[in-house]
Each structure stands twice: as C-alpha cells, then as structure tokens.
PDB file of all heavy atoms in Angstrom:
ATOM      1  N   LEU U 278      70.397  86.479  90.015  1.00 90.00           N
ATOM      2  CA  LEU U 278      71.027  85.318  89.395  1.00 90.00           C
ATOM      3  C   LEU U 278      72.488  85.667  89.085  1.00 90.00           C
ATOM      4  O   LEU U 278      72.750  86.554  88.268  1.00 90.00           O
ATOM      5  CB  LEU U 278      70.301  84.949  88.100  1.00 90.00           C
ATOM      6  CG  LEU U 278      68.854  84.480  88.229  1.00 90.00           C
ATOM      7  CD1 LEU U 278      68.252  84.284  86.845  1.00 90.00           C
ATOM      8  CD2 LEU U 278      68.778  83.191  89.027  1.00 90.00           C
ATOM      9  N   ARG U 279      73.406  84.999  89.743  1.00 89.00           N
ATOM     10  CA  ARG U 279      74.823  85.208  89.487  1.00 89.00           C
ATOM     11  C   ARG U 279      75.586  83.964  89.906  1.00 89.00           C
ATOM     12  O   ARG U 279      75.179  83.273  90.856  1.00 89.00           O
ATOM     13  CB  ARG U 279      75.334  86.440  90.250  1.00 89.00           C
ATOM     14  CG  ARG U 279      76.473  87.143  89.540  1.00 89.00           C
ATOM     15  CD  ARG U 279      76.727  88.525  90.050  1.00 89.00           C
ATOM     16  NE  ARG U 279      77.280  88.541  91.389  1.00 89.00           N
ATOM     17  CZ  ARG U 279      77.699  89.642  92.018  1.00 89.00           C
ATOM     18  NH1 ARG U 279      77.586  90.816  91.411  1.00 89.00           N
ATOM     19  NH2 ARG U 279      78.194  89.590  93.229  1.00 89.00           N
ATOM     20  N   GLU U 280      76.667  83.668  89.235  1.00 87.00           N
ATOM     21  CA  GLU U 280      77.392  82.435  89.496  1.00 87.00           C
ATOM     22  C   GLU U 280      77.913  82.348  90.930  1.00 87.00           C
ATOM     23  O   GLU U 280      77.986  81.267  91.509  1.00 87.00           O
ATOM     24  CB  GLU U 280      78.556  82.280  88.505  1.00 87.00           C
ATOM     25  CG  GLU U 280      78.095  81.961  87.086  1.00 87.00           C
ATOM     26  CD  GLU U 280      79.266  81.668  86.165  1.00 87.00           C
ATOM     27  OE1 GLU U 280      80.420  81.679  86.654  1.00 87.00           O
ATOM     28  OE2 GLU U 280      79.030  81.426  84.963  1.00 87.00           O
ATOM     29  N   ASP U 281      78.271  83.489  91.499  1.00 89.00           N
ATOM     30  CA  ASP U 281      78.813  83.477  92.857  1.00 89.00           C
ATOM     31  C   ASP U 281      77.738  83.663  93.922  1.00 89.00           C
ATOM     32  O   ASP U 281      78.042  83.871  95.097  1.00 89.00           O
ATOM     33  CB  ASP U 281      79.886  84.548  93.022  1.00 89.00           C
ATOM     34  CG  ASP U 281      79.330  85.959  92.811  1.00 89.00           C
ATOM     35  OD1 ASP U 281      78.226  86.082  92.253  1.00 89.00           O
ATOM     36  OD2 ASP U 281      80.011  86.929  93.200  1.00 89.00           O
ATOM     37  N   ALA U 282      76.449  83.587  93.524  1.00 94.00           N
ATOM     38  CA  ALA U 282      75.363  83.786  94.477  1.00 94.00           C
ATOM     39  C   ALA U 282      75.281  82.637  95.472  1.00 94.00           C
ATOM     40  O   ALA U 282      75.564  81.478  95.151  1.00 94.00           O
ATOM     41  CB  ALA U 282      74.036  83.933  93.737  1.00 94.00           C
ATOM     42  N   VAL U 283      74.853  82.974  96.684  1.00 95.00           N
ATOM     43  CA  VAL U 283      74.626  81.992  97.736  1.00 95.00           C
ATOM     44  C   VAL U 283      73.173  81.534  97.663  1.00 95.00           C
ATOM     45  O   VAL U 283      72.261  82.357  97.504  1.00 95.00           O
ATOM     46  CB  VAL U 283      74.911  82.607  99.122  1.00 95.00           C
ATOM     47  CG1 VAL U 283      74.588  81.613 100.235  1.00 95.00           C
ATOM     48  CG2 VAL U 283      76.360  83.066  99.202  1.00 95.00           C
ATOM     49  N   SER U 284      72.953  80.242  97.762  1.00 95.00           N
ATOM     50  CA  SER U 284      71.581  79.746  97.786  1.00 95.00           C
ATOM     51  C   SER U 284      70.853  80.284  99.012  1.00 95.00           C
ATOM     52  O   SER U 284      71.439  80.412 100.093  1.00 95.00           O
ATOM     53  CB  SER U 284      71.576  78.218  97.814  1.00 95.00           C
ATOM     54  OG  SER U 284      70.263  77.733  98.053  1.00 95.00           O
ATOM     55  N   LEU U 285      69.586  80.597  98.833  1.00 95.00           N
ATOM     56  CA  LEU U 285      68.786  81.080  99.955  1.00 95.00           C
ATOM     57  C   LEU U 285      68.765  80.062 101.098  1.00 95.00           C
ATOM     58  O   LEU U 285      68.699  80.432 102.270  1.00 95.00           O
ATOM     59  CB  LEU U 285      67.353  81.375  99.477  1.00 95.00           C
ATOM     60  CG  LEU U 285      66.388  82.015 100.478  1.00 95.00           C
ATOM     61  CD1 LEU U 285      66.904  83.354 100.971  1.00 95.00           C
ATOM     62  CD2 LEU U 285      65.012  82.185  99.829  1.00 95.00           C
ATOM     63  N   ASP U 286      68.871  78.774 100.744  1.00 93.00           N
ATOM     64  CA  ASP U 286      68.919  77.729 101.773  1.00 93.00           C
ATOM     65  C   ASP U 286      70.158  77.856 102.654  1.00 93.00           C
ATOM     66  O   ASP U 286      70.131  77.500 103.838  1.00 93.00           O
ATOM     67  CB  ASP U 286      68.936  76.342 101.115  1.00 93.00           C
ATOM     68  CG  ASP U 286      67.594  75.974 100.510  1.00 93.00           C
ATOM     69  OD1 ASP U 286      66.578  76.543 100.958  1.00 93.00           O
ATOM     70  OD2 ASP U 286      67.569  75.137  99.594  1.00 93.00           O
ATOM     71  N   ASP U 287      71.253  78.362 102.080  1.00 94.00           N
ATOM     72  CA  ASP U 287      72.525  78.428 102.792  1.00 94.00           C
ATOM     73  C   ASP U 287      72.847  79.822 103.330  1.00 94.00           C
ATOM     74  O   ASP U 287      73.848  79.996 104.030  1.00 94.00           O
ATOM     75  CB  ASP U 287      73.669  77.989 101.863  1.00 94.00           C
ATOM     76  CG  ASP U 287      73.476  76.569 101.349  1.00 94.00           C
ATOM     77  OD1 ASP U 287      72.978  75.731 102.129  1.00 94.00           O
ATOM     78  OD2 ASP U 287      73.799  76.320 100.169  1.00 94.00           O
ATOM     79  N   PHE U 288      72.043  80.788 102.985  1.00 95.00           N
ATOM     80  CA  PHE U 288      72.303  82.167 103.399  1.00 95.00           C
ATOM     81  C   PHE U 288      72.157  82.303 104.908  1.00 95.00           C
ATOM     82  O   PHE U 288      71.174  81.873 105.500  1.00 95.00           O
ATOM     83  CB  PHE U 288      71.333  83.110 102.689  1.00 95.00           C
ATOM     84  CG  PHE U 288      71.442  84.549 103.096  1.00 95.00           C
ATOM     85  CD1 PHE U 288      72.662  85.208 103.066  1.00 95.00           C
ATOM     86  CD2 PHE U 288      70.314  85.243 103.512  1.00 95.00           C
ATOM     87  CE1 PHE U 288      72.762  86.543 103.435  1.00 95.00           C
ATOM     88  CE2 PHE U 288      70.393  86.567 103.876  1.00 95.00           C
ATOM     89  CZ  PHE U 288      71.619  87.231 103.841  1.00 95.00           C
ATOM     90  N   GLU U 289      73.138  82.907 105.543  1.00 94.00           N
ATOM     91  CA  GLU U 289      73.112  83.144 106.982  1.00 94.00           C
ATOM     92  C   GLU U 289      72.918  84.635 107.238  1.00 94.00           C
ATOM     93  O   GLU U 289      73.880  85.417 107.190  1.00 94.00           O
ATOM     94  CB  GLU U 289      74.393  82.644 107.631  1.00 94.00           C
ATOM     95  CG  GLU U 289      74.597  81.140 107.498  1.00 94.00           C
ATOM     96  CD  GLU U 289      75.840  80.643 108.195  1.00 94.00           C
ATOM     97  OE1 GLU U 289      76.538  81.480 108.823  1.00 94.00           O
ATOM     98  OE2 GLU U 289      76.125  79.447 108.113  1.00 94.00           O
ATOM     99  N   PRO U 290      71.691  85.051 107.501  1.00 94.00           N
ATOM    100  CA  PRO U 290      71.425  86.486 107.651  1.00 94.00           C
ATOM    101  C   PRO U 290      71.963  87.045 108.960  1.00 94.00           C
ATOM    102  O   PRO U 290      72.017  86.344 109.977  1.00 94.00           O
ATOM    103  CB  PRO U 290      69.896  86.558 107.615  1.00 94.00           C
ATOM    104  CG  PRO U 290      69.452  85.230 108.132  1.00 94.00           C
ATOM    105  CD  PRO U 290      70.473  84.241 107.648  1.00 94.00           C
ATOM    106  N   ALA U 291      72.347  88.301 108.919  1.00 94.00           N
ATOM    107  CA  ALA U 291      72.720  89.021 110.129  1.00 94.00           C
ATOM    108  C   ALA U 291      71.446  89.383 110.886  1.00 94.00           C
ATOM    109  O   ALA U 291      70.334  89.060 110.457  1.00 94.00           O
ATOM    110  CB  ALA U 291      73.516  90.267 109.754  1.00 94.00           C
ATOM    111  N   SER U 292      71.596  90.069 111.988  1.00 94.00           N
ATOM    112  CA  SER U 292      70.426  90.436 112.789  1.00 94.00           C
ATOM    113  C   SER U 292      69.554  91.474 112.098  1.00 94.00           C
ATOM    114  O   SER U 292      68.363  91.588 112.382  1.00 94.00           O
ATOM    115  CB  SER U 292      70.866  90.962 114.154  1.00 94.00           C
ATOM    116  OG  SER U 292      71.712  92.090 113.996  1.00 94.00           O
ATOM    117  N   ARG U 293      70.144  92.226 111.175  1.00 96.00           N
ATOM    118  CA  ARG U 293      69.387  93.210 110.400  1.00 96.00           C
ATOM    119  C   ARG U 293      69.753  93.016 108.926  1.00 96.00           C
ATOM    120  O   ARG U 293      70.933  93.002 108.571  1.00 96.00           O
ATOM    121  CB  ARG U 293      69.695  94.640 110.841  1.00 96.00           C
ATOM    122  CG  ARG U 293      69.566  94.874 112.340  1.00 96.00           C
ATOM    123  CD  ARG U 293      69.773  96.337 112.694  1.00 96.00           C
ATOM    124  NE  ARG U 293      68.522  97.070 112.634  1.00 96.00           N
ATOM    125  CZ  ARG U 293      68.418  98.395 112.792  1.00 96.00           C
ATOM    126  NH1 ARG U 293      69.517  99.124 112.958  1.00 96.00           N
ATOM    127  NH2 ARG U 293      67.243  99.007 112.764  1.00 96.00           N
ATOM    128  N   VAL U 294      68.735  92.868 108.081  1.00 97.00           N
ATOM    129  CA  VAL U 294      68.965  92.566 106.669  1.00 97.00           C
ATOM    130  C   VAL U 294      68.171  93.525 105.788  1.00 97.00           C
ATOM    131  O   VAL U 294      66.989  93.792 106.049  1.00 97.00           O
ATOM    132  CB  VAL U 294      68.563  91.110 106.330  1.00 97.00           C
ATOM    133  CG1 VAL U 294      68.730  90.837 104.835  1.00 97.00           C
ATOM    134  CG2 VAL U 294      69.378  90.130 107.147  1.00 97.00           C
ATOM    135  N   ALA U 295      68.827  94.020 104.743  1.00 98.00           N
ATOM    136  CA  ALA U 295      68.161  94.781 103.688  1.00 98.00           C
ATOM    137  C   ALA U 295      68.186  93.927 102.424  1.00 98.00           C
ATOM    138  O   ALA U 295      69.262  93.613 101.903  1.00 98.00           O
ATOM    139  CB  ALA U 295      68.866  96.110 103.447  1.00 98.00           C
ATOM    140  N   LEU U 296      67.019  93.516 101.946  1.00 98.00           N
ATOM    141  CA  LEU U 296      66.897  92.625 100.788  1.00 98.00           C
ATOM    142  C   LEU U 296      66.620  93.449  99.539  1.00 98.00           C
ATOM    143  O   LEU U 296      65.599  94.124  99.440  1.00 98.00           O
ATOM    144  CB  LEU U 296      65.762  91.634 101.027  1.00 98.00           C
ATOM    145  CG  LEU U 296      65.505  90.598  99.928  1.00 98.00           C
ATOM    146  CD1 LEU U 296      66.676  89.622  99.824  1.00 98.00           C
ATOM    147  CD2 LEU U 296      64.200  89.843 100.209  1.00 98.00           C
ATOM    148  N   LEU U 297      67.525  93.406  98.568  1.00 98.00           N
ATOM    149  CA  LEU U 297      67.411  94.185  97.335  1.00 98.00           C
ATOM    150  C   LEU U 297      66.703  93.382  96.257  1.00 98.00           C
ATOM    151  O   LEU U 297      67.076  92.243  95.965  1.00 98.00           O
ATOM    152  CB  LEU U 297      68.803  94.589  96.817  1.00 98.00           C
ATOM    153  CG  LEU U 297      69.431  95.869  97.363  1.00 98.00           C
ATOM    154  CD1 LEU U 297      69.571  95.819  98.869  1.00 98.00           C
ATOM    155  CD2 LEU U 297      70.778  96.119  96.699  1.00 98.00           C
ATOM    156  N   LEU U 298      65.694  93.994  95.633  1.00 97.00           N
ATOM    157  CA  LEU U 298      64.947  93.372  94.539  1.00 97.00           C
ATOM    158  C   LEU U 298      64.973  94.300  93.330  1.00 97.00           C
ATOM    159  O   LEU U 298      64.761  95.519  93.465  1.00 97.00           O
ATOM    160  CB  LEU U 298      63.494  93.120  94.944  1.00 97.00           C
ATOM    161  CG  LEU U 298      63.246  92.237  96.170  1.00 97.00           C
ATOM    162  CD1 LEU U 298      61.766  92.226  96.518  1.00 97.00           C
ATOM    163  CD2 LEU U 298      63.733  90.825  95.913  1.00 97.00           C
ATOM    164  N   GLY U 299      65.175  93.713  92.143  1.00 95.00           N
ATOM    165  CA  GLY U 299      65.233  94.511  90.923  1.00 95.00           C
ATOM    166  C   GLY U 299      64.059  94.269  89.998  1.00 95.00           C
ATOM    167  O   GLY U 299      63.195  93.428  90.253  1.00 95.00           O
ATOM    168  N   ALA U 300      64.042  95.002  88.911  1.00 90.00           N
ATOM    169  CA  ALA U 300      62.930  94.965  87.964  1.00 90.00           C
ATOM    170  C   ALA U 300      62.865  93.644  87.215  1.00 90.00           C
ATOM    171  O   ALA U 300      63.853  92.914  87.112  1.00 90.00           O
ATOM    172  CB  ALA U 300      63.068  96.114  86.967  1.00 90.00           C
ATOM    173  N   GLU U 301      61.674  93.342  86.684  1.00 82.00           N
ATOM    174  CA  GLU U 301      61.506  92.172  85.830  1.00 82.00           C
ATOM    175  C   GLU U 301      62.423  92.295  84.614  1.00 82.00           C
ATOM    176  O   GLU U 301      62.636  93.382  84.083  1.00 82.00           O
ATOM    177  CB  GLU U 301      60.057  92.082  85.343  1.00 82.00           C
ATOM    178  CG  GLU U 301      59.050  91.819  86.438  1.00 82.00           C
ATOM    179  CD  GLU U 301      59.054  90.373  86.888  1.00 82.00           C
ATOM    180  OE1 GLU U 301      59.790  89.555  86.283  1.00 82.00           O
ATOM    181  OE2 GLU U 301      58.338  90.052  87.836  1.00 82.00           O
ATOM    182  N   GLY U 302      62.967  91.197  84.167  1.00 79.00           N
ATOM    183  CA  GLY U 302      63.797  91.210  82.974  1.00 79.00           C
ATOM    184  C   GLY U 302      65.237  91.564  83.280  1.00 79.00           C
ATOM    185  O   GLY U 302      66.101  90.687  83.381  1.00 79.00           O
ATOM    186  N   ASP U 303      65.512  92.839  83.467  1.00 80.00           N
ATOM    187  CA  ASP U 303      66.886  93.293  83.665  1.00 80.00           C
ATOM    188  C   ASP U 303      67.422  93.005  85.063  1.00 80.00           C
ATOM    189  O   ASP U 303      68.624  92.887  85.257  1.00 80.00           O
ATOM    190  CB  ASP U 303      66.996  94.792  83.389  1.00 80.00           C
ATOM    191  CG  ASP U 303      66.753  95.131  81.933  1.00 80.00           C
ATOM    192  OD1 ASP U 303      66.943  94.240  81.087  1.00 80.00           O
ATOM    193  OD2 ASP U 303      66.368  96.266  81.650  1.00 80.00           O
ATOM    194  N   GLY U 304      66.544  92.903  86.043  1.00 89.00           N
ATOM    195  CA  GLY U 304      66.994  92.667  87.403  1.00 89.00           C
ATOM    196  C   GLY U 304      67.685  93.880  87.992  1.00 89.00           C
ATOM    197  O   GLY U 304      67.499  95.012  87.530  1.00 89.00           O
ATOM    198  N   LEU U 305      68.495  93.672  89.009  1.00 94.00           N
ATOM    199  CA  LEU U 305      69.202  94.765  89.666  1.00 94.00           C
ATOM    200  C   LEU U 305      70.278  95.346  88.754  1.00 94.00           C
ATOM    201  O   LEU U 305      70.932  94.623  88.001  1.00 94.00           O
ATOM    202  CB  LEU U 305      69.840  94.268  90.962  1.00 94.00           C
ATOM    203  CG  LEU U 305      68.872  93.926  92.094  1.00 94.00           C
ATOM    204  CD1 LEU U 305      69.567  93.069  93.154  1.00 94.00           C
ATOM    205  CD2 LEU U 305      68.295  95.190  92.726  1.00 94.00           C
ATOM    206  N   THR U 306      70.484  96.642  88.844  1.00 93.00           N
ATOM    207  CA  THR U 306      71.525  97.297  88.067  1.00 93.00           C
ATOM    208  C   THR U 306      72.900  96.964  88.647  1.00 93.00           C
ATOM    209  O   THR U 306      73.017  96.567  89.813  1.00 93.00           O
ATOM    210  CB  THR U 306      71.342  98.823  88.084  1.00 93.00           C
ATOM    211  OG1 THR U 306      71.504  99.298  89.436  1.00 93.00           O
ATOM    212  CG2 THR U 306      69.968  99.218  87.555  1.00 93.00           C
ATOM    213  N   PRO U 307      73.959  97.116  87.853  1.00 93.00           N
ATOM    214  CA  PRO U 307      75.311  96.894  88.379  1.00 93.00           C
ATOM    215  C   PRO U 307      75.612  97.737  89.613  1.00 93.00           C
ATOM    216  O   PRO U 307      76.300  97.277  90.533  1.00 93.00           O
ATOM    217  CB  PRO U 307      76.203  97.275  87.195  1.00 93.00           C
ATOM    218  CG  PRO U 307      75.360  96.998  85.990  1.00 93.00           C
ATOM    219  CD  PRO U 307      73.967  97.383  86.397  1.00 93.00           C
ATOM    220  N   LYS U 308      75.105  98.950  89.655  1.00 93.00           N
ATOM    221  CA  LYS U 308      75.328  99.821  90.810  1.00 93.00           C
ATOM    222  C   LYS U 308      74.703  99.230  92.057  1.00 93.00           C
ATOM    223  O   LYS U 308      75.311  99.238  93.142  1.00 93.00           O
ATOM    224  CB  LYS U 308      74.739 101.208  90.529  1.00 93.00           C
ATOM    225  CG  LYS U 308      75.058 102.245  91.594  1.00 93.00           C
ATOM    226  CD  LYS U 308      76.499 102.663  91.558  1.00 93.00           C
ATOM    227  CE  LYS U 308      76.769 103.829  92.477  1.00 93.00           C
ATOM    228  NZ  LYS U 308      78.192 104.236  92.484  1.00 93.00           N
ATOM    229  N   ALA U 309      73.484  98.715  91.941  1.00 93.00           N
ATOM    230  CA  ALA U 309      72.823  98.107  93.093  1.00 93.00           C
ATOM    231  C   ALA U 309      73.551  96.845  93.534  1.00 93.00           C
ATOM    232  O   ALA U 309      73.752  96.606  94.731  1.00 93.00           O
ATOM    233  CB  ALA U 309      71.372  97.794  92.759  1.00 93.00           C
ATOM    234  N   LEU U 310      73.955  96.020  92.564  1.00 94.00           N
ATOM    235  CA  LEU U 310      74.677  94.790  92.905  1.00 94.00           C
ATOM    236  C   LEU U 310      76.003  95.094  93.591  1.00 94.00           C
ATOM    237  O   LEU U 310      76.423  94.380  94.505  1.00 94.00           O
ATOM    238  CB  LEU U 310      74.917  93.960  91.647  1.00 94.00           C
ATOM    239  CG  LEU U 310      73.687  93.230  91.082  1.00 94.00           C
ATOM    240  CD1 LEU U 310      73.989  92.651  89.715  1.00 94.00           C
ATOM    241  CD2 LEU U 310      73.240  92.131  92.042  1.00 94.00           C
ATOM    242  N   ALA U 311      76.650  96.178  93.173  1.00 93.00           N
ATOM    243  CA  ALA U 311      77.916  96.563  93.806  1.00 93.00           C
ATOM    244  C   ALA U 311      77.699  97.039  95.236  1.00 93.00           C
ATOM    245  O   ALA U 311      78.620  97.006  96.057  1.00 93.00           O
ATOM    246  CB  ALA U 311      78.589  97.660  92.982  1.00 93.00           C
ATOM    247  N   THR U 312      76.490  97.459  95.543  1.00 93.00           N
ATOM    248  CA  THR U 312      76.167  97.908  96.896  1.00 93.00           C
ATOM    249  C   THR U 312      76.030  96.734  97.860  1.00 93.00           C
ATOM    250  O   THR U 312      76.251  96.873  99.062  1.00 93.00           O
ATOM    251  CB  THR U 312      74.837  98.707  96.864  1.00 93.00           C
ATOM    252  OG1 THR U 312      74.992  99.834  96.013  1.00 93.00           O
ATOM    253  CG2 THR U 312      74.422  99.177  98.239  1.00 93.00           C
ATOM    254  N   ALA U 313      75.690  95.567  97.322  1.00 95.00           N
ATOM    255  CA  ALA U 313      75.362  94.417  98.167  1.00 95.00           C
ATOM    256  C   ALA U 313      76.583  93.805  98.835  1.00 95.00           C
ATOM    257  O   ALA U 313      77.672  93.768  98.270  1.00 95.00           O
ATOM    258  CB  ALA U 313      74.650  93.360  97.328  1.00 95.00           C
ATOM    259  N   ASP U 314      76.370  93.307 100.037  1.00 96.00           N
ATOM    260  CA  ASP U 314      77.401  92.533 100.734  1.00 96.00           C
ATOM    261  C   ASP U 314      77.377  91.085 100.278  1.00 96.00           C
ATOM    262  O   ASP U 314      78.401  90.405 100.276  1.00 96.00           O
ATOM    263  CB  ASP U 314      77.150  92.578 102.246  1.00 96.00           C
ATOM    264  CG  ASP U 314      77.119  93.991 102.786  1.00 96.00           C
ATOM    265  OD1 ASP U 314      78.071  94.738 102.521  1.00 96.00           O
ATOM    266  OD2 ASP U 314      76.136  94.348 103.464  1.00 96.00           O
ATOM    267  N   THR U 315      76.181  90.599  99.903  1.00 96.00           N
ATOM    268  CA  THR U 315      75.987  89.214  99.497  1.00 96.00           C
ATOM    269  C   THR U 315      74.961  89.157  98.381  1.00 96.00           C
ATOM    270  O   THR U 315      73.991  89.920  98.392  1.00 96.00           O
ATOM    271  CB  THR U 315      75.477  88.357 100.681  1.00 96.00           C
ATOM    272  OG1 THR U 315      76.328  88.535 101.808  1.00 96.00           O
ATOM    273  CG2 THR U 315      75.419  86.883 100.311  1.00 96.00           C
ATOM    274  N   VAL U 316      75.169  88.267  97.416  1.00 96.00           N
ATOM    275  CA  VAL U 316      74.157  88.011  96.388  1.00 96.00           C
ATOM    276  C   VAL U 316      73.530  86.660  96.701  1.00 96.00           C
ATOM    277  O   VAL U 316      74.231  85.674  96.926  1.00 96.00           O
ATOM    278  CB  VAL U 316      74.771  88.009  94.979  1.00 96.00           C
ATOM    279  CG1 VAL U 316      73.702  87.663  93.940  1.00 96.00           C
ATOM    280  CG2 VAL U 316      75.392  89.365  94.668  1.00 96.00           C
ATOM    281  N   VAL U 317      72.204  86.628  96.743  1.00 96.00           N
ATOM    282  CA  VAL U 317      71.458  85.437  97.129  1.00 96.00           C
ATOM    283  C   VAL U 317      70.538  85.032  95.990  1.00 96.00           C
ATOM    284  O   VAL U 317      69.984  85.888  95.295  1.00 96.00           O
ATOM    285  CB  VAL U 317      70.623  85.702  98.401  1.00 96.00           C
ATOM    286  CG1 VAL U 317      69.860  84.449  98.824  1.00 96.00           C
ATOM    287  CG2 VAL U 317      71.515  86.187  99.537  1.00 96.00           C
ATOM    288  N   THR U 318      70.380  83.738  95.795  1.00 95.00           N
ATOM    289  CA  THR U 318      69.475  83.250  94.756  1.00 95.00           C
ATOM    290  C   THR U 318      68.536  82.199  95.332  1.00 95.00           C
ATOM    291  O   THR U 318      68.885  81.493  96.284  1.00 95.00           O
ATOM    292  CB  THR U 318      70.262  82.653  93.567  1.00 95.00           C
ATOM    293  OG1 THR U 318      69.358  82.388  92.492  1.00 95.00           O
ATOM    294  CG2 THR U 318      70.974  81.365  93.956  1.00 95.00           C
ATOM    295  N   ILE U 319      67.351  82.115  94.777  1.00 95.00           N
ATOM    296  CA  ILE U 319      66.373  81.110  95.199  1.00 95.00           C
ATOM    297  C   ILE U 319      66.635  79.822  94.425  1.00 95.00           C
ATOM    298  O   ILE U 319      66.644  79.842  93.186  1.00 95.00           O
ATOM    299  CB  ILE U 319      64.944  81.603  94.930  1.00 95.00           C
ATOM    300  CG1 ILE U 319      64.639  82.852  95.766  1.00 95.00           C
ATOM    301  CG2 ILE U 319      63.918  80.503  95.242  1.00 95.00           C
ATOM    302  CD1 ILE U 319      63.324  83.514  95.415  1.00 95.00           C
ATOM    303  N   PRO U 320      66.875  78.697  95.092  1.00 93.00           N
ATOM    304  CA  PRO U 320      67.094  77.439  94.370  1.00 93.00           C
ATOM    305  C   PRO U 320      65.823  77.039  93.618  1.00 93.00           C
ATOM    306  O   PRO U 320      64.735  77.061  94.169  1.00 93.00           O
ATOM    307  CB  PRO U 320      67.439  76.446  95.482  1.00 93.00           C
ATOM    308  CG  PRO U 320      66.883  77.042  96.733  1.00 93.00           C
ATOM    309  CD  PRO U 320      66.945  78.528  96.561  1.00 93.00           C
ATOM    310  N   MET U 321      65.982  76.692  92.338  1.00 90.00           N
ATOM    311  CA  MET U 321      64.841  76.407  91.476  1.00 90.00           C
ATOM    312  C   MET U 321      64.939  75.002  90.909  1.00 90.00           C
ATOM    313  O   MET U 321      65.996  74.360  90.953  1.00 90.00           O
ATOM    314  CB  MET U 321      64.794  77.426  90.326  1.00 90.00           C
ATOM    315  CG  MET U 321      64.761  78.891  90.753  1.00 90.00           C
ATOM    316  SD  MET U 321      63.221  79.369  91.563  1.00 90.00           S
ATOM    317  CE  MET U 321      62.087  79.240  90.184  1.00 90.00           C
TER     318      MET U 321
END
C-alpha cells in the first residue's frame, strides 16, 4: 500500500517478474521496498 503504487489492473509485467510480499501488519520493510522497480497494489 503506497500512494505511488500502480493498480494490479494497470500493471504491465515484464517477461520475468519477482513479486515481493511482506509480513502481516508491517508489510515490506523499507529496504525491500527500495529494492523494487515497481510498487503494485490490489484494487479494493
């Protein structure tokens, strides 16, 4: 969950994707988020 996240509906994946998932509550750490090329969120 982040303001600049791309909706999963609009996400255009490359041919190879690594999907990062974080813990319940705290979610991904800042270090993990800094590793990402894109932040994606599920529209709710």
Side-chain angles (χ1 to χ4, degrees):
L278 295 175
R279 210 164 69 174
E280 289 186 2
D281 62 344
V283 176
S284 171
L285 185 59
D286 288 337
D287 301 323
F288 176 53
E289 297 182 2
S292 59
R293 309 185 89 186
V294 177
L296 181 67
L297 274 58
L298 302 174
E301 294 283 356
D303 293 336
L305 290 163
T306 64
K308 187 72 172 179
L310 286 170
T312 300
D314 303 308
T315 308
V316 177
V317 181
T318 189
I319 297 172
M321 304 292 292

